[in-house]
Amino acid sequence: MSVTTPPIDYQALFAATPSPYLVLGPDLVILDANEAYCWAAHRLREDLVGQYLFDAFPDNPADPSADGVRNLSASLHRVLRSSEPDTMAVQKYDIPVPDSPGLFEQRWWSPVNTPVLGPDGQVAWIIHRVEDVTEFVLSQTGRPQPGQALNERQAMETELYARARELQKANEQLRQAHARERKVAVTLQEAMLQSPDLARHPNIAVRYLPAAKGLNVCGDWYDVVDLPSNGFAVAVGDVVGHGLEAAAVMGMLRSALSAAVRALREPAPAVDVLGLYARSVEGALATTVVKAVIDTHRHHITYSSAGHPPPVLARPDGTIVLLDQATDPPLGARPQHVPRSQATVPYTPGSTLVLYTDGLIERRGEDIDAGLHRLTDILADNPRRSPDHLADTLLSRLGVSGGGNDDIALIIVGL
């Protein structure tokens, strides 16, 4: 006699589970929240679903040391890159008080972020589970002094807390040991991608994703440079090849272009200088790069491209403009030096400028124009998202939140 197992209503199961859970998309938009989470966060489900996580839960502006957004964002992006769960240390992350704009309630959480993979092996969702440990953390301030006896409850709490901290430490050590080679490589890459001027531009979001396989260092780069008057410059570039040699070449070319645009203040002459310099750097030929100078006073963009995929200007009404009117061959492709061209396009305040490397849109066995069309369609559908939100949306919708077959550098400028 066979026994028929009744189907399980997983939606009801999720709603009723006593631990607080959020379901996030790869673009970090909240897709669902169970009752326990809504109760813990003092929010209604309908107020959360559809929101970008960090729009729903920003840092407490009254706390200058608040780092909840940074730490949680780092954990979630580790999950997207590795497709493995990430257990965070106990985290202070204050939450907004309902119906009291600008007022935050002090809270401490124990978060775990777990990926759910789709049929293609990519992260389709992230389960964000938290436990509210505020009462326990605050109670630590009232513990007996050294030498004073603990009661039974205090002794048990101390033991559990100590074991939890030891487990967290062991997990962290294991993850670091497992990813040491990758961590060293990516740390090197990030050190070379430092842009001191970027900190002065909250309206600019940058992303760097190494290829999902291999040593995970490459020749892709981005840069942001403030100019002496009325504007700033942004650039992305792509050195042929992967590994430490390509990364070293990238570092030299990026520094040279940064210095050139500071001195010349226009993109074409700066790319010209870079092309001449590239002839003396082994491994630099065939590099592609695009440089754009944004004049914030006259509201126009002047750009020059050396064989690079075109930047995209998305206007507030959803209109898309490809910056493809000043594209010359890659560095060193011409046997003799020919001055580079540049073009200028006006922009409307509220527009968005997107620069990227080909890893964002190129797919094996497919014409690169197909990927470019996908990119422009997403930008047309999301004309008013913040640069950070738009960056996560692009990576998610293009299927590369955890990295792709090639490296990716991305700059999104809110104009």
Side-chain angles (χ1 to χ4, degrees):
M1 179 178 177
S2 62
V3 178
T4 301
T5 303
I8 298 174
D9 186 341
Y10 288 100
Q11 187 173 5
L13 187 67
F14 171 77
T17 186
S19 292
Y21 285 94
L22 281 183
V23 179
L24 304 172
D27 56 358
L28 307 186
V29 168
I30 300 170
L31 302 180
D32 207 348
N34 70 352
E35 293 179 10
Y37 189 94
C38 294
W39 183 86
H42 301 324
R43 304 287 285 276
L44 298 175
R45 179 179 178 277
E46 53 265 32
D47 293 335
L48 294 175
V49 172
Q51 282 213 66
Y52 182 52
L53 177 62
F54 300 118
D55 287 343
F57 296 104
D59 272 331
N60 183 355
D63 182 359
S65 65
D67 57 3
V69 169
R70 182 186 65 191
N71 294 341
L72 179 54
S73 177
S75 173
L76 293 169
H77 283 95
R78 279 197 296 269
V79 172
L80 290 170
R81 287 195 302 269
S82 68
S83 299
E84 296 179 354
D86 190 83
T87 301
M88 298 178 64
V90 172
Q91 174 68 54
K92 184 178 184 294
Y93 199 137
D94 299 343
I95 62 172
V97 176
D99 302 321
S100 299
L103 187 61
F104 281 67
E105 178 182 342
Q106 183 176 209
R107 300 289 279 276
W108 294 78
W109 309 90
S110 176
V112 179
N113 299 307
T114 304
V116 179
L117 305 184
D120 59 356
Q122 299 294 316
V123 176
W125 305 282
I126 298 176
I127 298 174
H128 173 59
R129 190 196 79 191
V130 294
E131 296 294 341
D132 187 349
V133 294
T134 305
E135 183 177 353
F136 173 71
V137 171
L138 295 180
S139 72
Q140 303 310 297
T141 58
R143 287 202 170 278
Q145 297 299 314
Q148 184 178 353
L150 300 176
N151 62 37
E152 183 178 354
R153 177 182 175 182
Q154 289 172 329
M156 183 180 297
E157 287 178 345
T158 300
E159 179 69 14
L160 289 173
Y161 186 69
R163 297 291 80 76
R165 297 292 292 182
E166 288 176 4
L167 180 60
Q168 169 64 29
K169 183 178 180 180
N171 286 339
E172 180 69 20
Q173 290 173 340
L174 180 62
R175 184 174 67 225
Q176 289 178 356
H178 180 69
R180 183 171 288 113
E181 186 174 356
R182 183 182 190 280
K183 183 178 178 63
V184 170
V186 173
T187 299
L188 170 64
Q189 188 83 13
E190 291 175 345
M192 290 192 290
L193 288 175
Q194 287 293 320
S195 291
D197 293 346
L198 179 60
R200 291 187 284 274
H201 293 274
N203 61 323
I204 297 179
V206 297
R207 297 289 188 271
Y208 161 70
L209 281 77
K213 298 180 181 179
L215 184 58
N216 292 300
V217 292
C218 66
D220 287 24
W221 84 83
Y222 61 76
D223 198 14
V224 178
V225 175
D226 281 334
L227 299 178
S229 61
N230 296 332
F232 59 95
V234 293
V236 293
D238 187 356
V239 174
V240 174
H242 297 80
L244 293 173
E245 291 183 0
V249 173
M250 175 275 288
M252 290 187 286
L253 295 182
R254 180 177 181 271
S255 297
L257 183 58
S258 180
V261 78
R262 281 181 166 89
L264 301 171
R265 305 187 189 181
E266 290 193 348
V271 176
D272 242 349
V273 169
L274 184 67
L276 294 171
Y277 175 65
R279 293 175 179 272
S280 65
V281 178
E282 185 176 355
L285 300 184
T287 292
T288 68
V289 61
V290 61
K291 168 67 76 171
V293 173
I294 294 90
D295 187 322
T296 55
H297 180 67
R298 291 182 288 180
H299 292 164
H300 68 229
I301 302 165
T302 304
Y303 64 94
S304 181
S305 173
H308 203 81
V312 182
L313 177 65
R315 295 194 169 114
D317 62 0
T319 304
I320 299 298
V321 179
L322 293 180
L323 276 58
D324 57 2
Q325 299 303 303
T327 300
D328 294 310
L331 302 184
R334 288 169 169 156
Q336 294 183 338
H337 174 68
V338 177
R340 298 275 171 178
S341 61
Q342 67 182 32
T344 299
V345 60
Y347 71 83
T348 304
S351 298
T352 301
L353 177 66
V354 180
L355 290 78
Y356 54 94
T357 54
D358 58 7
L360 182 69
I361 61 172
E362 192 172 33
R363 302 293 180 267
R364 290 175 182 172
E366 179 183 83
D367 192 278
I368 195 170
D369 285 342
L372 183 57
H373 286 314
R374 281 193 294 268
L375 170 64
T376 56
D377 286 345
I378 296 169
L379 292 174
D381 291 341
N382 298 274
R384 297 186 181 278
R385 290 195 175 177
S386 69
D388 269 311
H389 191 177
L390 184 57
D392 288 332
T393 298
L394 284 176
L395 296 176
S396 171
R397 295 272 299 274
L398 292 171
V400 290
S401 295
N405 293 324
D406 198 3
D407 320 298
I408 298 169
L410 173 66
I411 295 182
I412 299 182
V413 184
L415 298 169

